Amino acid sequence: MSAPELYGLVLTGGRSRRMQRDKANLTYAGKSQLARAMELLTPLVARCFVSVRSDQLQDPQRAAYDTIADVLPNLGPMGGIHAALHAYPDRAWLVLACDLPFLDAATLQHLIAHRISTRVATAYRSSFDGQPEPLCAIFEPPSRALIEQALAQSQQCPRALLARSDVELLDLPNPRALDNVNTGAEYAAAHAALGAVTPAAAASASAATSASAATSASASATIGTPRRLKVRYFAVLREQAGRSTEELETQAGTPRQLYDELRRLRGLTLAPEFLRVAVNDEFGDWRSPLSDGDTVVFLPPVAGG
């Protein structure tokens, strides 16, 4: 028996309360997140749709594509997935959040290549908690009944639904592919990471690099000079540290030395290889020297759902 035909769905019906602006319209290198998501997904599926709230149907950016409006309002991602399965119940759906700036075609191709159509869904396993990532996943037709059952019980979390269902779980080939952006600070960091920096920022980064080269080549040479730093935490690190920001005086000379110190001081559990570091709103190297007054941000991947 052949697998059900695969359609694509880009979710854009969120309220973007934390971002305080429409995340579908956020741009990277002159291209909106929605346009980029549709360009990635469209070649891989038979048809591709944008999931919208009913009040978004006239939005010009969304109206440029085929749309599916939520049947049941105010359900978040679960409502969008339900509406797609309701509209085309005999199709499987590759569901994609629109706010995944690091997503690449290879990640989607890997998901499709390892799809098991006899299961309820095929999804990636979170690199943090091992749970299914529902906002880059393939939902098979039988998942509709499970979703409707969950909604009847006032359960609206697609991750929880997949966690208790018969799901094919895959390891992410690119650990950062499903990082999403929920706040202005995360958007700025992602913007910088993708190379979309202003000329002034590029000049500043170049100057910082030159200054670093002019100093000692050894990171250990920066140890021992007290400096006052501001640290900002996001996602799980914010929860572990018990705060979103703090200022501290430290002798750490590099972001890596600072993070090692904070792991001891704040009980942070994530290994550095799972994080990215930004200094003064520019992604940098863990070994780059820190200066008095710097703002350092440690960014874990933030999963959707």
Side-chain angles (χ1 to χ4, degrees), residues 1 39-40 61 71 73 81 88 105-106 139 141-142 145 201 236 240 263 267:
M1 182 175 179
E39 286 182 8
L40 283 171
Q61 183 179 198
V71 177
I81 301 167
Y88 297 93
F139 289 77
V236 67
Q240 292 179 353
R263 292 181 79 178

Side-chain angles (χ1 to χ4, degrees), residues 118-166:
T118 55
R119 294 194 161 187
V120 169
T122 301
Y124 283 116
R125 180 185 289 107
S126 169
S127 57
F128 289 100
D129 58 15
Q131 295 300 305
E133 296 281 10
L135 302 189
C136 180
I138 297 174
F139 289 77
E140 303 293 340
S143 65
R144 177 188 174 186
L146 296 179
I147 289 173
E148 292 179 342
Q149 181 182 8
L151 293 177
Q153 299 171 355
S154 299
Q155 298 171 357
Q156 302 176 13
C157 178
R159 172 173 291 167
L161 173 75
L162 293 185
R164 60 177 181 268
S165 302
D166 181 26

Side-chain angles (χ1 to χ4, degrees), residues 108-116 138 170:
L108 296 178
Q109 291 164 351
H110 183 82
L111 179 68
I112 295 171
H114 293 82
R115 169 192 178 192
I116 303 297
I138 297 174
L170 310 175

Side-chain angles (χ1 to χ4, degrees), residues 9 48-52 56-57 59 61-69 88:
L9 185 73
C48 201
F49 297 81
V50 177
S51 169
V52 299
Q56 295 174 318
L57 284 169
D59 172 62
Q61 183 179 198
R62 292 169 170 82
Y65 307 101
D66 290 333
T67 57
I68 295 179
Y88 297 93

Side-chain angles (χ1 to χ4, degrees), residues 3 13 55 73 97 100 121 137 154 159 161 202 211 214 235 257 261 263 271 281 292-293:
D55 61 312
L100 302 173
S154 299
R159 172 173 291 167
L161 173 75
Q257 293 161 4
E261 179 180 326
R263 292 181 79 178
D281 295 325
D292 189 64

Side-chain angles (χ1 to χ4, degrees), residues 18 183 186 233-244:
R18 283 179 286 174
T183 67
E186 291 171 359
Y233 304 99
F234 291 97
V236 67
L237 293 181
R238 179 173 54 217
E239 298 173 6
Q240 292 179 353
R243 65 204 71 199
S244 58

Side-chain angles (χ1 to χ4, degrees), residues 18-299:
R18 283 179 286 174
M19 182 65 69
Q20 297 185 334
R21 56 187 291 197
D22 187 356
K23 289 196 288 186
N25 288 318
L26 296 179
T27 60
Y28 299 91
K31 186 176 297 184
S32 73
Q33 288 198 126
L34 173 55
R36 182 175 180 276
M38 290 295 287
E39 286 182 8
L40 283 171
L41 188 54
T42 298
L44 304 177
V45 295
R47 293 187 66 185
C48 201
F49 297 81
V50 177
S51 169
V52 299
R53 304 189 309 269
S54 59
D55 61 312
Q56 295 174 318
L57 284 169
Q58 303 306 315
D59 172 62
Q61 183 179 198
R62 292 169 170 82
Y65 307 101
D66 290 333
T67 57
I68 295 179
D70 292 349
V71 177
L72 303 173
N74 303 317
L75 294 179
M78 189 84 103
I81 301 167
H82 167 263
L85 286 160
H86 182 270
Y88 297 93
D90 59 343
R91 300 299 195 272
W93 288 89
L94 200 172
V95 174
L96 194 63
C98 75
D99 59 340
L100 302 173
F102 300 101
L103 183 66
D104 51 21
T107 299
L108 296 178
Q109 291 164 351
H110 183 82
L111 179 68
I112 295 171
H114 293 82
R115 169 192 178 192
I116 303 297
S117 63
T118 55
R119 294 194 161 187
V120 169
T122 301
Y124 283 116
R125 180 185 289 107
S126 169
S127 57
F128 289 100
D129 58 15
Q131 295 300 305
E133 296 281 10
L135 302 189
C136 180
I138 297 174
F139 289 77
E140 303 293 340
S143 65
R144 177 188 174 186
L146 296 179
I147 289 173
E148 292 179 342
Q149 181 182 8
L151 293 177
Q153 299 171 355
S154 299
Q155 298 171 357
Q156 302 176 13
C157 178
R159 172 173 291 167
L161 173 75
L162 293 185
R164 60 177 181 268
S165 302
D166 181 26
V167 174
E168 177 71 11
L169 280 180
L170 310 175
D171 291 327
L172 268 168
N174 173 4
R176 294 195 58 83
L178 301 190
D179 292 11
N180 70 355
V181 291
N182 289 306
T183 67
E186 291 171 359
Y187 174 49
H191 211 259
L194 292 169
V197 297
T198 64
S204 175
S206 177
T209 301
S210 298
S212 174
T215 60
S216 169
S218 171
S220 62
T222 65
I223 301 175
T225 303
R227 47 184 63 78
R228 191 79 180 174
L229 302 175
K230 183 176 182 179
V231 180
R232 299 169 66 186
Y233 304 99
F234 291 97
V236 67
L237 293 181
R238 179 173 54 217
E239 298 173 6
Q240 292 179 353
R243 65 204 71 199
S244 58
T245 64
E246 68 173 312
E247 294 187 13
L248 72 162
E249 185 172 291
T250 177
Q251 295 186 356
T254 66
R256 177 57 187 264
Q257 293 161 4
L258 175 63
Y259 186 70
D260 287 344
E261 179 180 326
L262 291 170
R263 292 181 79 178
R264 297 189 296 270
L265 184 65
R266 301 293 177 215
L268 308 180
T269 62
L270 295 183
E273 54 264 29
F274 292 110
L275 307 174
R276 299 206 72 179
V277 61
V279 179
N280 301 327
D281 295 325
E282 295 288 337
F283 274 116
D285 191 283
W286 284 93
R287 298 164 297 178
S288 60
L290 295 173
S291 300
D292 189 64
D294 281 348
T295 296
V296 183
V297 182
F298 298 109
L299 287 163

